[in-house]
Amino acid sequence: VGAAVVVVGPMSSSPIRVLGRRRRKMSRKTQDRRGDLSAMATEALSSTKTVKAFVQEKAQSDAYSVKAEASFQAEAKRLLARAALIILVTFLTTAALVGLVWFGARPVFDGSVSVGELSQFVVYAIMASGSLTGMAVLFGTFQQVAGATERLTEILDTETLLPLPANPKPMPVPPHGRVKFDKVDFAYLTRDNEIVLRDVSFTVDPGETVALVGPSGAGKSTVFALLQRFYDVKSGAVLVDGIDVRDVDTAVLRKRFAYVEQESVMFAGTVAENIRFGKPEATDEEVEAAARAALVHDFVVNLDHGYDSVVGERGAMLSGRRKQRVAIARALLKDAPILLLDEATSALDAQSEHLVQVALERLMAGRTTLVIAHRLATIRDADRILVFDEGRVIDQGTHDELVAKGGRYAELAKLQFRLDAPAEEMAG
């Protein structure tokens, strides 16, 4: 009987291991399908106006149905595997129990084992079989959880491509606000290592306003990304206050920048929370002071709940110019020495642009400022303009100097100001 137990035990546990591994793979697949379904739902719901404008409701619904069916099939297979595991383990343990009773009855007939001893053994066998079945269910659940968390562990185990310095250098205090690009070459890995910046060199002195101008794809936004060390240069160096950005703590580095994007990001909270995002510990008085400077206070006080008014997901309750002004207030509150403006007024009408420009001028006062702009009228007063083309700085100077040279900038300025003149006459 003992030998039978030794044989039956491994025979019963083997299917648990095999089917358990299958359940783990199925659970991972189920999580992948659920992720695809959730991602599509989020994307479609956040783009409702676009979907309706292009009359793509049915196409989106059909695509969602396909993903929902794939998710359902993956879940159904997982549940079938779970049921098969329980059925198989129950059958094996019951069959093993019957076999043991049959083998155990023979010694009783021979008189070598008493009926009481056999009964005692059967009770133990029933208890063991119940435990084995429970263990099978627990093991299956464990494999399901392991499959579901596999995606998370992959993300957590991902190593950064930006090596952190073992002994980061301290940044100078107080900050100077000096920026320098020294013979920088850069390529995005996702673009087959196509060179985006080629031998780019320039310096921005403390308090200076420098504009970056050029066609889309010329590398202007990449300059901002490299400054904040979202990527590392392929060759050359990017220095902030005389320190290579690769040699400092990224958190310390990024505190030196205030960033206003072309499409300002709003979070699903209150106006005050969105402004305070740049400085979480700021007092209500500091938030209001930043809001007044950014021309936010006047429209906020007319909202139902003032600074406690909810802006909605992605700032849906605010207009474009109001979102931009809230973003400027956020940057003002952060009070960083270097300001990065990425086409902050390009999507606004003339009146809105004027209001935002007034707020920007207050933000730029006393700060080192780098501005990306397609509308040249917004950068006429910049201390210096860098003209980018195909990843290179092909020219630099003031607005008047570049126009007098008659190069690429002069052509662009001539075209823009000629097109803008009729609009200004009509507005007048």
Side-chain angles (χ1 to χ4, degrees):
V1 174
V5 173
V6 172
V7 173
V8 169
M11 287 179 60
S12 301
S13 61
S14 295
I16 298 176
R17 293 196 301 271
V18 174
L19 290 178
R21 293 192 192 100
R22 289 193 62 190
R23 282 199 67 193
R24 181 170 182 167
K25 293 179 181 178
M26 290 179 178
S27 179
R28 169 61 190 266
K29 189 174 182 180
T30 299
Q31 293 299 319
D32 289 341
R33 297 296 173 267
R34 286 179 181 173
D36 293 342
L37 191 65
S38 177
M40 183 176 180
T42 301
E43 184 179 59
L45 292 174
S46 62
S47 308
T48 303
K49 290 182 179 178
T50 304
V51 172
K52 289 182 176 295
F54 286 89
V55 197
Q56 291 298 306
E57 294 93 336
K58 187 177 186 305
Q60 290 292 308
S61 178
D62 292 343
Y64 185 83
S65 297
V66 171
K67 291 185 181 294
E69 180 64 23
S71 177
F72 171 78
Q73 293 295 337
E75 180 68 10
K77 289 180 180 179
R78 186 188 68 79
L79 292 175
L80 284 173
R82 178 176 183 274
L85 177 63
I86 295 175
I87 291 171
L88 182 60
V89 171
T90 303
F91 172 77
L92 288 175
T93 53
T94 303
L97 181 61
V98 171
L100 290 174
V101 171
W102 184 76
F103 278 110
R106 295 174 64 184
V108 173
F109 295 146
D110 296 340
S112 59
V113 176
S114 68
V115 175
E117 290 174 330
L118 178 62
S119 300
Q120 185 179 25
F121 177 79
V122 169
V123 170
Y124 290 154
I126 292 173
M127 293 173 63
S129 65
S131 299
L132 186 60
T133 303
M135 186 176 68
V137 174
L138 180 62
F139 183 75
T141 303
F142 173 76
Q143 291 297 328
Q144 177 185 344
V145 173
T149 57
E150 213 169 66
R151 296 176 61 177
L152 294 176
T153 55
E154 286 178 1
I155 295 173
L156 293 173
D157 292 340
T158 301
E159 294 185 4
T160 177
L161 297 177
L162 302 177
L164 300 178
N167 298 300
K169 293 182 179 180
M171 299 286 285
V173 178
H176 305 147
R178 178 177 284 103
V179 169
K180 182 178 180 181
F181 273 59
D182 185 14
K183 298 180 180 179
V184 168
D185 288 343
F186 175 73
Y188 288 106
L189 295 177
T190 54
R191 299 184 189 176
D192 299 324
N193 290 319
E194 177 188 355
I195 298 297
V196 178
L197 294 180
R198 297 174 176 83
D199 194 29
V200 173
S201 296
F202 64 87
T203 300
V204 183
D205 293 323
E208 188 179 14
T209 297
V210 173
L212 280 58
V213 175
S216 298
K220 305 183 298 297
S221 296
T222 301
V223 169
F224 284 10
L226 293 177
L227 273 173
Q228 298 172 87
R229 208 195 172 202
F230 295 138
Y231 307 96
D232 271 345
V233 299
K234 187 174 181 180
S235 64
V238 177
L239 298 94
V240 175
D241 286 346
I243 308 294
D244 193 317
V245 297
R246 292 169 292 189
D247 296 333
V248 301
D249 187 325
T250 53
V252 175
L253 171 69
R254 291 166 187 167
K255 287 180 179 179
R256 306 240 160 173
F257 298 97
Y259 187 29
V260 180
E261 302 170 81
Q262 180 178 3
E263 296 182 6
S264 299
V265 175
M266 293 289 111
F267 299 92
T270 65
V271 174
E273 288 170 345
N274 273 279
I275 296 175
R276 193 176 274 117
F277 192 80
K279 186 181 178 182
E281 70 278 10
T283 63
D284 291 342
E285 291 74 17
E286 290 175 320
V287 170
E288 183 176 331
R292 288 181 180 276
L295 305 180
V296 171
H297 181 77
D298 291 341
F299 79 79
V300 169
V301 293
N302 292 323
L303 299 176
D304 292 340
H305 302 287
Y307 283 91
D308 293 326
S309 300
V310 175
V311 302
E313 187 175 354
R314 299 186 181 183
M317 306 302 293
L318 300 178
S319 65
R321 70 177 180 181
R322 288 182 172 181
K323 285 194 285 188
Q324 285 295 78
R325 282 147 65 184
V326 170
I328 293 169
R330 179 192 299 164
L332 274 164
L333 185 61
K334 186 176 182 181
D335 195 25
I338 304 173
L339 176 62
L340 306 177
L341 303 177
D342 190 352
E343 303 185 57
T345 62
S346 64
L348 304 177
D349 57 62
Q351 182 181 5
S352 301
E353 180 181 353
H354 173 71
L355 292 172
V356 172
Q357 196 66 40
V358 170
L360 284 175
E361 288 173 1
R362 296 181 181 180
L363 176 59
M364 294 163 64
R367 291 181 172 85
T368 303
T369 306
L370 282 85
V371 186
I372 295 176
H374 283 305
R375 300 187 64 169
L376 304 185
T378 62
I379 57 168
R380 274 180 161 179
D381 298 328
D383 297 316
R384 191 153 40 98
I385 298 171
L386 303 179
V387 184
F388 279 74
D389 190 24
E390 296 184 355
R392 298 179 185 274
V393 178
I394 61 173
D395 209 348
Q396 60 179 302
T398 64
H399 172 79
D400 293 336
E401 290 171 350
L402 291 172
V403 169
K405 283 184 180 180
R408 180 72 57 85
Y409 181 87
E411 294 175 1
L412 186 59
K414 186 176 181 180
L415 176 64
Q416 280 201 19
F417 293 131
R418 185 171 68 241
L419 293 176
D420 289 345
E424 292 174 359
E425 291 173 3
M426 291 177 65

